[in-house]
Coordinates of all heavy atoms in Angstrom, one line a residue:
M1 N -2.7 -11.6 16.7 CA -2.6 -10.2 17.1 C -2.8 -9.3 15.8 O -2.3 -9.6 14.8 CB -1.2 -9.9 17.7 CG -1.0 -8.5 18.1 SD 0.5 -8.2 19.1 CE 1.7 -8.4 17.9
T2 N -3.6 -8.3 16.0 CA -3.8 -7.4 14.9 C -2.9 -6.1 15.0 O -2.8 -5.5 16.0 CB -5.3 -6.9 14.9 OG1 -6.1 -8.1 14.7 CG2 -5.6 -6.0 13.7
I3 N -2.3 -5.8 13.9 CA -1.3 -4.7 13.8 C -1.8 -3.8 12.7 O -2.0 -4.2 11.6 CB 0.1 -5.2 13.6 CG1 0.6 -6.1 14.7 CG2 1.1 -4.0 13.4 CD1 1.9 -6.8 14.4
R4 N -1.8 -2.4 13.0 CA -2.1 -1.5 11.9 C -0.8 -1.3 11.1 O 0.2 -1.0 11.6 CB -2.5 -0.1 12.5 CG -2.8 0.9 11.4 CD -3.1 2.3 12.0 NE -3.4 3.3 11.0 CZ -2.5 3.9 10.2 NH1 -1.2 3.6 10.4 NH2 -2.9 4.8 9.3
L5 N -1.0 -1.6 9.8 CA 0.2 -1.5 8.9 C 0.3 -0.1 8.3 O 1.4 0.4 8.2 CB 0.0 -2.5 7.7 CG 0.5 -3.9 7.9 CD1 0.3 -4.7 6.6 CD2 2.0 -3.9 8.2
C6 N -0.8 0.4 7.8 CA -0.7 1.7 7.1 C -2.1 2.2 6.9 O -3.1 1.6 7.2 CB 0.0 1.5 5.8 SG -0.8 0.4 4.6
A7 N -2.2 3.4 6.2 CA -3.5 3.9 5.8 C -3.8 3.4 4.4 O -2.8 3.1 3.6 CB -3.5 5.4 5.8
T8 N -5.0 3.3 4.1 CA -5.4 2.8 2.7 C -4.8 3.7 1.6 O -4.3 3.1 0.6 CB -6.9 2.7 2.6 OG1 -7.5 4.0 2.9 CG2 -7.5 1.6 3.4
D9 N -4.7 5.0 1.9 CA -4.2 5.9 0.9 C -2.7 5.8 0.8 O -2.1 6.5 -0.1 CB -4.6 7.3 1.2 CG -6.1 7.5 0.8 OD1 -6.7 6.7 0.2 OD2 -6.6 8.6 1.2
D10 N -2.0 5.1 1.6 CA -0.5 5.0 1.6 C -0.1 4.2 0.4 O 1.1 4.3 0.0 CB 0.0 4.4 2.9 CG 0.0 5.3 4.0 OD1 -0.2 6.6 3.8 OD2 0.1 4.8 5.2
I11 N -1.0 3.4 -0.2 CA -0.6 2.6 -1.3 C -1.5 2.9 -2.5 O -2.7 2.6 -2.5 CB -0.7 1.1 -1.0 CG1 0.0 0.8 0.3 CG2 -0.2 0.2 -2.2 CD1 -0.3 -0.7 0.8
P12 N -1.0 3.6 -3.5 CA -1.8 3.9 -4.7 C -2.3 2.6 -5.4 O -1.6 1.6 -5.3 CB -0.8 4.7 -5.6 CG 0.2 5.2 -4.7 CD 0.4 4.1 -3.6
E13 N -3.4 2.7 -6.1 CA -3.9 1.5 -6.8 C -2.9 1.0 -7.8 O -2.2 1.7 -8.5 CB -5.2 1.9 -7.6 CG -5.7 0.9 -8.5 CD -6.1 -0.4 -7.8 OE1 -6.6 -0.4 -6.7 OE2 -5.8 -1.5 -8.4
G14 N -2.7 -0.3 -7.8 CA -1.8 -1.0 -8.7 C -0.3 -0.9 -8.3 O 0.5 -1.3 -9.1
E15 N -0.1 -0.5 -7.0 CA 1.3 -0.4 -6.6 C 1.6 -1.2 -5.3 O 0.7 -1.8 -4.7 CB 1.6 1.1 -6.4 CG 1.5 1.9 -7.7 CD 2.2 3.2 -7.6 OE1 3.0 3.5 -6.7 OE2 1.9 4.1 -8.5
V16 N 2.8 -1.2 -5.0 CA 3.3 -2.0 -3.8 C 4.2 -1.1 -3.0 O 5.0 -0.3 -3.5 CB 4.0 -3.3 -4.3 CG1 5.2 -3.0 -5.2 CG2 4.5 -4.1 -3.1
R17 N 4.1 -1.3 -1.7 CA 5.0 -0.5 -0.8 C 5.6 -1.4 0.3 O 5.0 -2.4 0.6 CB 4.2 0.6 -0.1 CG 3.7 1.7 -1.0 CD 4.8 2.6 -1.4 NE 4.3 3.8 -2.2 CZ 4.2 3.7 -3.5 NH1 4.5 2.6 -4.2 NH2 3.8 4.8 -4.2
Q18 N 6.7 -1.1 0.8 CA 7.4 -1.9 1.9 C 7.0 -1.3 3.2 O 7.0 -0.1 3.4 CB 8.9 -1.8 1.7 CG 9.6 -2.6 2.7 CD 11.1 -2.3 2.7 OE1 11.5 -1.3 3.3 NE2 11.9 -3.1 2.0
F19 N 6.6 -2.2 4.2 CA 6.4 -1.8 5.5 C 7.1 -2.7 6.5 O 7.1 -3.9 6.3 CB 4.8 -1.8 5.8 CG 4.1 -0.8 5.1 CD1 3.5 -1.1 3.9 CD2 4.0 0.5 5.5 CE1 2.8 -0.2 3.1 CE2 3.3 1.5 4.8 CZ 2.7 1.2 3.6
A20 N 7.7 -2.1 7.5 CA 8.4 -2.8 8.5 C 7.4 -3.0 9.7 O 6.8 -2.0 10.1 CB 9.6 -2.1 9.0
V21 N 7.3 -4.2 10.2 CA 6.5 -4.4 11.4 C 7.4 -4.4 12.6 O 8.6 -4.8 12.6 CB 5.8 -5.8 11.3 CG1 4.8 -6.1 12.4 CG2 5.0 -5.9 9.9
D22 N 6.9 -4.0 13.8 CA 7.7 -3.9 15.0 C 8.3 -5.2 15.4 O 9.4 -5.2 16.0 CB 6.8 -3.3 16.1 CG 6.5 -1.8 16.0 OD1 7.2 -1.2 15.1 OD2 5.6 -1.4 16.7
D23 N 7.7 -6.3 15.0 CA 8.3 -7.6 15.4 C 9.4 -8.0 14.5 O 10.0 -9.2 14.7 CB 7.2 -8.7 15.5 CG 6.6 -8.9 14.1 OD1 7.1 -8.5 13.1 OD2 5.5 -9.6 14.1
G24 N 9.8 -7.2 13.6 CA 11.0 -7.5 12.8 C 10.7 -7.9 11.3 O 11.6 -8.0 10.5
R25 N 9.5 -8.2 11.1 CA 9.1 -8.6 9.7 C 9.1 -7.4 8.8 O 8.8 -6.3 9.2 CB 7.7 -9.3 9.7 CG 7.7 -10.6 10.3 CD 6.3 -11.2 10.2 NE 5.4 -10.5 11.2 CZ 4.1 -10.8 11.3 NH1 3.5 -11.7 10.6 NH2 3.4 -10.1 12.2
T26 N 9.5 -7.6 7.5 CA 9.4 -6.6 6.5 C 8.5 -7.2 5.4 O 8.8 -8.2 4.8 CB 10.8 -6.3 5.9 OG1 11.7 -5.9 7.0 CG2 10.7 -5.2 4.9
L27 N 7.4 -6.5 5.2 CA 6.4 -7.0 4.2 C 6.3 -6.1 3.0 O 6.6 -4.9 3.0 CB 5.0 -7.0 5.0 CG 5.0 -7.7 6.3 CD1 3.5 -7.7 6.8 CD2 5.5 -9.1 6.1
A28 N 5.9 -6.7 1.9 CA 5.5 -6.0 0.7 C 4.0 -6.0 0.8 O 3.3 -7.0 0.9 CB 6.0 -6.7 -0.5
V29 N 3.4 -4.8 0.7 CA 1.9 -4.7 0.7 C 1.4 -4.1 -0.6 O 1.9 -3.1 -1.1 CB 1.5 -3.8 1.9 CG1 -0.1 -3.8 2.0 CG2 2.1 -4.3 3.2
Y30 N 0.4 -4.8 -1.2 CA 0.0 -4.5 -2.5 C -1.5 -4.0 -2.5 O -2.3 -4.5 -1.7 CB 0.0 -5.8 -3.4 CG 1.3 -6.6 -3.3 CD1 1.5 -7.5 -2.2 CD2 2.3 -6.4 -4.2 CE1 2.7 -8.2 -2.1 CE2 3.5 -7.2 -4.1 CZ 3.6 -8.1 -3.1 OH 4.8 -8.8 -3.0
R31 N -1.8 -3.1 -3.5 CA -3.2 -2.7 -3.7 C -3.5 -3.1 -5.1 O -2.9 -2.5 -6.1 CB -3.3 -1.2 -3.4 CG -4.8 -0.7 -3.6 CD -4.8 0.7 -3.2 NE -6.1 1.3 -3.4 CZ -6.4 2.5 -3.1 NH1 -5.6 3.3 -2.5 NH2 -7.6 3.0 -3.4
V32 N -4.4 -4.0 -5.3 CA -4.8 -4.5 -6.6 C -6.3 -4.5 -6.7 O -7.0 -5.2 -6.0 CB -4.2 -5.9 -6.9 CG1 -4.7 -6.4 -8.3 CG2 -2.7 -5.9 -6.8
D33 N -6.8 -3.8 -7.7 CA -8.3 -3.7 -7.9 C -9.0 -3.3 -6.6 O -10.1 -3.9 -6.3 CB -8.8 -5.0 -8.5 CG -8.3 -5.3 -9.9 OD1 -7.9 -4.3 -10.6 OD2 -8.2 -6.4 -10.2
G34 N -8.4 -2.5 -5.8 CA -9.1 -2.0 -4.6 C -8.9 -2.9 -3.4 O -9.3 -2.6 -2.3
D35 N -8.3 -4.1 -3.6 CA -8.0 -5.0 -2.5 C -6.5 -4.9 -2.0 O -5.7 -4.5 -2.9 CB -8.4 -6.4 -2.8 CG -9.8 -6.6 -3.0 OD1 -10.6 -6.0 -2.2 OD2 -10.2 -7.4 -3.9
Y36 N -6.3 -5.3 -0.8 CA -4.9 -5.2 -0.3 C -4.4 -6.6 0.0 O -5.2 -7.5 0.5 CB -4.9 -4.4 1.0 CG -5.3 -2.9 0.8 CD1 -6.6 -2.5 0.6 CD2 -4.3 -2.0 0.6 CE1 -6.9 -1.2 0.4 CE2 -4.6 -0.7 0.3 CZ -5.9 -0.3 0.2 OH -6.3 1.0 -0.1
F37 N -3.1 -6.8 -0.3 CA -2.5 -8.1 0.0 C -1.1 -7.9 0.5 O -0.5 -6.8 0.3 CB -2.4 -8.9 -1.4 CG -3.7 -9.1 -2.1 CD1 -4.1 -8.1 -3.0 CD2 -4.5 -10.1 -1.8 CE1 -5.3 -8.3 -3.7 CE2 -5.7 -10.3 -2.4 CZ -6.1 -9.4 -3.4
A38 N -0.6 -8.9 1.2 CA 0.8 -8.7 1.8 C 1.5 -10.0 1.6 O 1.0 -11.1 1.7 CB 0.7 -8.4 3.3
T39 N 2.8 -9.9 1.4 CA 3.8 -11.0 1.3 C 5.0 -10.6 2.1 O 5.2 -9.4 2.3 CB 4.1 -11.4 -0.1 OG1 5.0 -10.4 -0.7 CG2 2.9 -11.7 -1.0
D40 N 5.9 -11.6 2.3 CA 7.2 -11.2 2.7 C 7.8 -10.3 1.6 O 7.5 -10.5 0.4 CB 8.1 -12.5 2.9 CG 7.9 -13.1 4.2 OD1 7.5 -12.4 5.2 OD2 8.1 -14.4 4.3
D41 N 8.7 -9.4 2.1 CA 9.3 -8.5 1.1 C 10.5 -9.1 0.4 O 10.8 -8.8 -0.8 CB 9.7 -7.2 1.7 CG 10.1 -6.1 0.7 OD1 9.4 -6.0 -0.3 OD2 11.2 -5.5 0.9
L42 N 11.1 -10.1 1.1 CA 12.4 -10.7 0.6 C 12.0 -11.8 -0.4 O 11.3 -12.8 0.0 CB 13.2 -11.2 1.7 CG 14.5 -11.8 1.4 CD1 15.5 -10.7 0.8 CD2 15.2 -12.4 2.6
C43 N 12.5 -11.7 -1.6 CA 12.3 -12.8 -2.6 C 12.8 -14.1 -2.1 O 13.9 -14.1 -1.4 CB 13.0 -12.4 -3.9 SG 12.8 -13.6 -5.2
T44 N 12.2 -15.2 -2.4 CA 12.7 -16.5 -2.0 C 13.8 -17.0 -2.8 O 14.5 -18.0 -2.5 CB 11.6 -17.6 -2.0 OG1 11.1 -17.7 -3.4 CG2 10.4 -17.2 -1.1
H45 N 14.1 -16.3 -3.9 CA 15.3 -16.7 -4.8 C 16.6 -16.0 -4.4 O 17.6 -16.6 -4.6 CB 14.9 -16.4 -6.2 CG 16.1 -16.8 -7.2 ND1 16.8 -15.8 -7.8 CD2 16.5 -18.0 -7.6 CE1 17.7 -16.4 -8.5 NE2 17.6 -17.7 -8.4
G46 N 16.5 -14.8 -3.9 CA 17.7 -14.1 -3.6 C 17.4 -12.9 -2.8 O 16.4 -12.7 -2.2
D47 N 18.4 -12.0 -2.7 CA 18.4 -10.8 -1.8 C 17.7 -9.6 -2.4 O 18.3 -8.6 -2.5 CB 19.8 -10.5 -1.3 CG 19.8 -9.5 -0.1 OD1 18.8 -9.5 0.6 OD2 20.8 -8.9 0.0
A48 N 16.5 -9.8 -2.9 CA 15.8 -8.7 -3.6 C 14.5 -8.4 -2.8 O 13.9 -9.2 -2.2 CB 15.4 -9.2 -5.0
S49 N 14.2 -7.1 -2.9 CA 13.0 -6.6 -2.2 C 11.9 -6.5 -3.2 O 11.9 -5.8 -4.2 CB 13.3 -5.1 -1.7 OG 12.2 -4.6 -1.2
L50 N 10.9 -7.3 -3.0 CA 9.7 -7.4 -3.9 C 9.0 -6.1 -4.0 O 8.4 -5.8 -5.0 CB 8.8 -8.5 -3.6 CG 9.4 -9.9 -3.7 CD1 8.3 -10.9 -3.2 CD2 9.8 -10.2 -5.1
S51 N 9.1 -5.2 -3.0 CA 8.4 -3.9 -3.0 C 9.1 -3.0 -4.0 O 8.5 -1.9 -4.3 CB 8.3 -3.3 -1.6 OG 9.6 -3.2 -1.1
E52 N 10.2 -3.4 -4.6 CA 10.8 -2.6 -5.6 C 10.5 -3.2 -7.0 O 11.1 -2.7 -8.0 CB 12.4 -2.6 -5.4 CG 12.7 -1.8 -4.1 CD 14.2 -1.9 -3.8 OE1 15.0 -2.4 -4.7 OE2 14.6 -1.4 -2.7
G53 N 9.7 -4.2 -7.0 CA 9.3 -4.8 -8.3 C 8.0 -4.2 -8.9 O 7.5 -3.2 -8.4
E54 N 7.6 -4.8 -10.0 CA 6.4 -4.3 -10.7 C 5.3 -5.3 -10.6 O 5.5 -6.5 -10.7 CB 6.8 -4.1 -12.2 CG 7.8 -3.1 -12.5 CD 7.4 -1.7 -12.3 OE1 6.2 -1.4 -12.5 OE2 8.2 -0.8 -11.8
I55 N 4.1 -4.8 -10.5 CA 2.9 -5.7 -10.5 C 2.4 -5.8 -11.9 O 2.3 -4.8 -12.6 CB 1.8 -5.1 -9.6 CG1 2.2 -5.0 -8.1 CG2 0.5 -5.9 -9.7 CD1 1.3 -4.3 -7.2
E56 N 2.1 -7.1 -12.3 CA 1.6 -7.3 -13.6 C 0.6 -8.5 -13.6 O 1.0 -9.6 -13.2 CB 2.8 -7.6 -14.6 CG 2.4 -7.7 -16.0 CD 3.7 -7.9 -16.9 OE1 4.5 -6.9 -17.0 OE2 3.8 -9.0 -17.4
D57 N -0.6 -8.3 -13.9 CA -1.6 -9.3 -14.0 C -1.7 -10.1 -12.6 O -1.8 -11.3 -12.6 CB -1.3 -10.3 -15.1 CG -1.5 -9.7 -16.5 OD1 -2.3 -8.7 -16.6 OD2 -0.8 -10.1 -17.4
G58 N -1.7 -9.4 -11.5 CA -1.9 -10.0 -10.2 C -0.6 -10.7 -9.7 O -0.6 -11.4 -8.7
K59 N 0.5 -10.5 -10.4 CA 1.8 -11.1 -10.0 C 2.8 -9.9 -9.7 O 2.7 -8.9 -10.3 CB 2.3 -12.0 -11.1 CG 1.4 -13.1 -11.5 CD 2.0 -13.9 -12.6 CE 1.1 -15.1 -12.9 NZ -0.2 -14.7 -13.4
I60 N 3.7 -10.2 -8.8 CA 4.8 -9.3 -8.5 C 6.0 -9.9 -9.2 O 6.4 -11.0 -9.0 CB 5.0 -9.1 -7.0 CG1 6.2 -8.1 -6.8 CG2 5.2 -10.4 -6.2 CD1 5.9 -6.7 -7.2
L61 N 6.6 -9.0 -10.0 CA 7.8 -9.4 -10.7 C 9.0 -8.9 -9.9 O 9.2 -7.7 -9.6 CB 7.9 -8.7 -12.1 CG 6.7 -8.9 -13.0 CD1 7.0 -8.3 -14.4 CD2 6.4 -10.4 -13.2
C62 N 9.9 -9.9 -9.6 CA 11.1 -9.5 -8.8 C 12.0 -8.6 -9.6 O 12.3 -8.9 -10.8 CB 11.8 -10.8 -8.4 SG 13.3 -10.5 -7.4
P63 N 12.6 -7.6 -9.0 CA 13.4 -6.7 -9.7 C 14.8 -7.3 -10.1 O 15.5 -6.7 -10.9 CB 13.6 -5.5 -8.8 CG 13.4 -6.0 -7.5 CD 12.4 -7.1 -7.6
Y64 N 15.2 -8.4 -9.5 CA 16.6 -8.9 -9.7 C 16.6 -9.8 -11.0 O 17.4 -9.5 -11.9 CB 17.1 -9.7 -8.5 CG 17.8 -8.8 -7.5 CD1 17.5 -7.4 -7.4 CD2 18.6 -9.4 -6.5 CE1 18.1 -6.6 -6.5 CE2 19.2 -8.6 -5.6 CZ 19.0 -7.2 -5.6 OH 19.6 -6.4 -4.6
H65 N 15.8 -10.9 -11.0 CA 16.0 -11.8 -12.1 C 14.6 -12.0 -12.8 O 14.5 -13.0 -13.5 CB 16.5 -13.2 -11.6 CG 17.8 -13.0 -10.8 ND1 17.8 -13.2 -9.4 CD2 19.0 -12.6 -11.1 CE1 19.0 -13.0 -8.9 NE2 19.8 -12.6 -9.9
M66 N 13.7 -11.2 -12.5 CA 12.3 -11.2 -13.1 C 11.5 -12.5 -12.9 O 10.7 -12.8 -13.7 CB 12.5 -10.9 -14.6 CG 13.2 -9.6 -14.9 SD 12.4 -8.2 -14.0 CE 10.9 -8.0 -14.9
G67 N 11.9 -13.2 -11.8 CA 10.9 -14.3 -11.4 C 9.7 -13.6 -10.9 O 9.6 -12.4 -10.8
S68 N 8.6 -14.4 -10.6 CA 7.4 -13.8 -10.2 C 6.6 -14.7 -9.2 O 6.8 -15.9 -9.2 CB 6.5 -13.4 -11.4 OG 6.0 -14.5 -12.0
F69 N 5.7 -14.0 -8.5 CA 4.9 -14.7 -7.5 C 3.4 -14.2 -7.7 O 3.2 -13.0 -8.0 CB 5.3 -14.4 -6.1 CG 6.7 -14.8 -5.8 CD1 7.8 -13.8 -5.9 CD2 7.0 -16.0 -5.3 CE1 9.1 -14.2 -5.6 CE2 8.3 -16.4 -5.1 CZ 9.4 -15.5 -5.2
D70 N 2.5 -15.1 -7.4 CA 1.1 -14.7 -7.4 C 0.9 -13.9 -6.1 O 1.2 -14.4 -5.0 CB 0.2 -15.9 -7.4 CG -1.3 -15.5 -7.5 OD1 -1.8 -14.8 -6.6 OD2 -1.9 -16.0 -8.4
I71 N 0.4 -12.6 -6.2 CA 0.3 -11.8 -5.0 C -0.7 -12.4 -4.0 O -0.6 -12.2 -2.8 CB -0.2 -10.4 -5.5 CG1 1.0 -9.7 -6.2 CG2 -0.7 -9.5 -4.3 CD1 0.6 -8.4 -6.9
R72 N -1.8 -13.0 -4.5 CA -2.8 -13.5 -3.7 C -2.4 -14.8 -2.9 O -2.7 -15.0 -1.8 CB -4.1 -13.8 -4.4 CG -4.8 -12.5 -4.9 CD -5.9 -12.8 -5.9 NE -6.6 -11.6 -6.3 CZ -6.2 -10.6 -7.1 NH1 -5.0 -10.7 -7.6 NH2 -6.9 -9.5 -7.3
T73 N -1.8 -15.7 -3.6 CA -1.5 -17.0 -3.1 C 0.0 -17.2 -2.6 O 0.3 -18.1 -1.9 CB -1.8 -18.1 -4.1 OG1 -0.9 -18.0 -5.2 CG2 -3.2 -18.0 -4.6
G74 N 0.9 -16.4 -3.2 CA 2.3 -16.5 -2.9 C 3.0 -17.6 -3.8 O 4.2 -17.7 -3.8
E75 N 2.2 -18.2 -4.7 CA 2.8 -19.3 -5.6 C 3.9 -18.7 -6.5 O 3.7 -17.6 -7.0 CB 1.7 -19.8 -6.4 CG 2.1 -20.8 -7.5 CD 1.0 -21.2 -8.4 OE1 -0.1 -20.6 -8.3 OE2 1.2 -22.1 -9.3
A76 N 5.0 -19.4 -6.6 CA 6.0 -19.0 -7.5 C 5.5 -19.3 -8.9 O 5.0 -20.4 -9.3 CB 7.3 -19.8 -7.3
C77 N 5.5 -18.2 -9.8 CA 4.9 -18.3 -11.1 C 5.9 -18.4 -12.3 O 5.6 -18.8 -13.4 CB 4.0 -17.2 -11.4 SG 2.6 -17.1 -10.2
A78 N 7.1 -17.9 -12.1 CA 8.1 -17.8 -13.2 C 9.5 -18.0 -12.6 O 9.8 -17.5 -11.6 CB 8.0 -16.5 -13.9
A79 N 10.3 -18.8 -13.4 CA 11.7 -19.0 -13.0 C 12.4 -17.7 -13.0 O 12.1 -16.8 -13.8 CB 12.3 -20.0 -14.0
P80 N 13.5 -17.6 -12.2 CA 14.1 -18.7 -11.4 C 13.4 -18.9 -10.0 O 13.9 -19.7 -9.2 CB 15.5 -18.2 -11.2 CG 15.3 -16.7 -11.1 CD 14.2 -16.4 -12.1
C81 N 12.3 -18.3 -9.8 CA 11.6 -18.5 -8.5 C 10.9 -19.9 -8.5 O 10.2 -20.2 -9.5 CB 10.5 -17.4 -8.2 SG 11.2 -15.8 -8.1
S82 N 11.1 -20.7 -7.4 CA 10.4 -22.0 -7.3 C 9.8 -22.2 -6.0 O 9.0 -23.1 -5.8 CB 11.4 -23.1 -7.7 OG 12.5 -23.1 -6.8
I83 N 10.2 -21.4 -5.0 CA 9.7 -21.5 -3.6 C 8.7 -20.4 -3.4 O 9.0 -19.3 -3.7 CB 10.8 -21.4 -2.6 CG1 11.9 -22.5 -2.8 CG2 10.3 -21.5 -1.2 CD1 13.2 -22.3 -2.0
A84 N 7.5 -20.8 -3.0 CA 6.4 -19.8 -2.7 C 6.9 -18.8 -1.7 O 7.7 -19.1 -0.8 CB 5.2 -20.5 -2.3
I85 N 6.3 -17.6 -1.9 CA 6.5 -16.5 -0.9 C 5.4 -16.6 0.1 O 4.3 -16.9 -0.2 CB 6.6 -15.1 -1.6 CG1 7.2 -14.1 -0.7 CG2 5.2 -14.7 -2.1 CD1 8.7 -13.9 -0.9
K86 N 5.8 -16.3 1.4 CA 4.7 -16.3 2.4 C 3.8 -15.2 2.3 O 4.2 -14.0 2.0 CB 5.4 -16.3 3.8 CG 4.4 -16.4 5.0 CD 5.2 -16.5 6.3 CE 4.2 -16.5 7.5 NZ 3.0 -17.4 7.3
T87 N 2.5 -15.5 2.4 CA 1.5 -14.4 2.4 C 0.9 -14.2 3.8 O 1.0 -15.1 4.6 CB 0.3 -14.8 1.4 OG1 -0.3 -16.0 1.9 CG2 0.8 -15.0 0.0
Y88 N 0.3 -13.1 3.9 CA -0.3 -12.7 5.2 C -1.7 -12.2 5.0 O -2.0 -11.6 4.0 CB 0.5 -11.6 5.9 CG 1.9 -12.0 6.1 CD1 2.9 -11.8 5.2 CD2 2.3 -12.6 7.4 CE1 4.2 -12.3 5.4 CE2 3.6 -13.0 7.6 CZ 4.5 -12.8 6.7 OH 5.8 -13.3 6.9
R89 N -2.6 -12.4 6.0 CA -4.0 -12.0 5.9 C -4.1 -10.5 6.4 O -3.5 -10.1 7.4 CB -4.9 -12.8 6.8 CG -5.0 -14.3 6.3 CD -5.8 -15.1 7.3 NE -5.3 -15.1 8.6 CZ -6.0 -14.9 9.7 NH1 -7.3 -14.8 9.7 NH2 -5.4 -14.8 10.9
L90 N -4.8 -9.7 5.6 CA -5.0 -8.3 5.9 C -6.5 -8.1 6.0 O -7.3 -8.9 5.5 CB -4.5 -7.4 4.8 CG -3.0 -7.5 4.4 CD1 -2.7 -6.5 3.3 CD2 -2.1 -7.3 5.7
A91 N -6.9 -7.0 6.7 CA -8.2 -6.5 6.7 C -8.2 -5.0 6.6 O -7.2 -4.4 6.9 CB -8.9 -6.9 8.0
V92 N -9.3 -4.4 6.1 CA -9.4 -3.0 6.0 C -10.5 -2.6 7.0 O -11.6 -3.1 7.0 CB -9.7 -2.5 4.6 CG1 -10.0 -1.0 4.6 CG2 -8.6 -2.9 3.6
D93 N -10.1 -1.6 7.8 CA -11.1 -1.1 8.8 C -11.1 0.4 8.7 O -10.2 1.1 9.1 CB -10.6 -1.5 10.2 CG -11.6 -1.0 11.3 OD1 -12.7 -0.6 10.9 OD2 -11.2 -0.9 12.5
G94 N -12.1 1.0 8.0 CA -12.1 2.4 7.7 C -11.0 2.8 6.8 O -10.9 2.2 5.7
D95 N -10.1 3.6 7.3 CA -8.9 4.1 6.5 C -7.7 3.3 6.8 O -6.6 3.7 6.4 CB -8.7 5.6 6.7 CG -9.8 6.4 6.2 OD1 -10.5 6.0 5.2 OD2 -10.0 7.5 6.7
D96 N -7.8 2.3 7.6 CA -6.6 1.5 8.1 C -6.5 0.2 7.4 O -7.5 -0.5 7.3 CB -6.7 1.3 9.6 CG -6.6 2.6 10.4 OD1 -5.9 3.6 9.9 OD2 -7.2 2.7 11.5
V97 N -5.3 -0.2 7.1 CA -5.0 -1.6 6.6 C -4.4 -2.3 7.8 O -3.4 -1.9 8.4 CB -4.0 -1.6 5.4 CG1 -3.7 -3.0 5.0 CG2 -4.6 -0.8 4.3
L98 N -5.0 -3.4 8.2 CA -4.6 -4.2 9.4 C -4.0 -5.5 9.0 O -4.4 -6.2 8.0 CB -5.8 -4.4 10.3 CG -6.6 -3.2 10.6 CD1 -7.9 -3.7 11.5 CD2 -5.8 -2.2 11.4
L99 N -2.9 -5.9 9.7 CA -2.3 -7.2 9.5 C -2.9 -8.1 10.6 O -2.8 -7.8 11.8 CB -0.8 -7.0 9.7 CG 0.1 -8.3 9.7 CD1 0.0 -9.0 8.4 CD2 1.5 -7.9 10.1
L100 N -3.4 -9.2 10.1 CA -4.1 -10.1 11.0 C -3.2 -11.3 11.5 O -3.5 -11.9 12.5 CB -5.3 -10.7 10.4 CG -6.4 -9.7 9.9 CD1 -7.5 -10.5 9.2 CD2 -6.9 -8.8 11.0
D101 N -2.1 -11.5 10.8 CA -1.2 -12.6 11.2 C 0.0 -12.2 12.0 O 0.5 -11.1 11.8 CB -0.7 -13.3 9.9 CG -1.8 -14.0 9.2 OD1 -2.6 -14.7 9.8 OD2 -1.8 -13.9 7.9
Ligands
FES201 FE1 14.1 -12.6 -7.0 FE2 16.2 -13.8 -8.2 S1 16.2 -12.6 -6.4 S2 14.1 -13.7 -8.9

């Protein structure tokens, strides 16, 4: 099922925003070098919102303990994170960012 998440302009370049999906999921959606990516918003290490973190070199730094994940693959990149974050496929259609998963 395809769901419209937001407008392309809702996320400034190099930033991340939180979006709630009607089915209950809360996602962190990233804009990096003009491309859009999405992961679960909840860190796999603790009760932190990744959309409140900082993007650095294609990674999202968790605001709680500064663990990190690769935005594209979800791979855990820095301790204390060790469990990958779930990623979601997105598409851009005109001015809309669509969630494909
Ligand atoms: Fe994210 Fe600990 S809660 S690194």
Side-chain angles (χ1 to χ4, degrees):
M1 184 168 69
T2 300
I3 299 170
R4 181 186 181 279
L5 271 181
C6 62
T8 52
D9 286 348
D10 286 342
I11 310 172
E13 172 59 37
E15 296 196 17
V16 54
R17 294 286 185 271
Q18 182 192 81
F19 292 96
V21 185
D22 285 346
D23 61 14
R25 290 179 287 179
T26 303
L27 305 184
V29 183
Y30 312 84
R31 180 173 175 178
V32 178
D33 296 332
D35 290 326
Y36 294 82
F37 305 91
T39 69
D40 278 333
D41 189 47
L42 182 65
C43 182
T44 60
H45 178 253
D47 191 24
S49 176
L50 294 178
S51 57
E52 295 175 7
E54 297 288 328
I55 297 174
E56 192 175 287
D57 293 334
K59 300 178 179 64
I60 180 68
L61 307 185
C62 178
Y64 273 21
H65 310 109
M66 302 309 287
S68 70
F69 302 93
D70 186 301
I71 289 168
R72 290 168 172 78
T73 66
E75 175 189 4
C77 298
C81 299
S82 60
I83 301 169
I85 195 90
K86 183 171 174 47
T87 60
Y88 298 89
R89 293 177 303 136
L90 302 181
V92 174
D93 181 16
D95 293 334
D96 295 327
V97 180
L98 307 176
L99 174 65
L100 303 180
D101 293 317

